[in-house]
Amino acid sequence: MSLCLSPVEDLYSAFLIMNVKDNRKEIDRQKCLERWDQFIRLHDEEIKRLHLHSCVVSSMEI
């Protein structure tokens, strides 16, 4: 099994990590539902900004 994640998997993992319950053992599904639209909107805005300014981030596959 490979330990390397694709950028999409990294993004999804980061989203899940930011929405764990206080016990740090479970994902808070309600938080995920409440935060997804803003999370993806901010992500898309940042990708557009990077493209607009021709930024290259070595750790990102854009």
Side-chain angles (χ1 to χ4, degrees):
M1 171 171 39
S2 173
L3 296 178
C4 297
L5 298 177
S6 74
V8 172
E9 291 169 324
D10 282 346
L11 173 67
Y12 188 63
S13 295
F15 177 75
L16 292 176
I17 289 168
M18 71 180 255
N19 290 297
V20 296
K21 291 185 177 182
D22 290 337
N23 66 14
R24 297 184 183 180
K25 295 180 181 183
E26 302 170 275
I27 302 299
D28 187 327
R29 187 171 188 279
Q30 188 59 41
K31 278 186 186 177
C32 289
L33 294 172
E34 293 169 1
R35 295 177 174 179
W36 178 255
D37 289 337
Q38 180 183 13
F39 182 79
I40 202 68
R41 180 182 56 79
L42 292 172
H43 169 269
D44 291 346
E45 286 177 14
E46 184 62 16
I47 297 301
K48 287 178 188 175
R49 187 188 71 79
L50 290 171
H51 281 289
L52 180 65
H53 297 289
S54 299
C55 294
V56 177
V57 180
S58 63
S59 64
M60 294 176 63
E61 291 181 30
I62 300 176

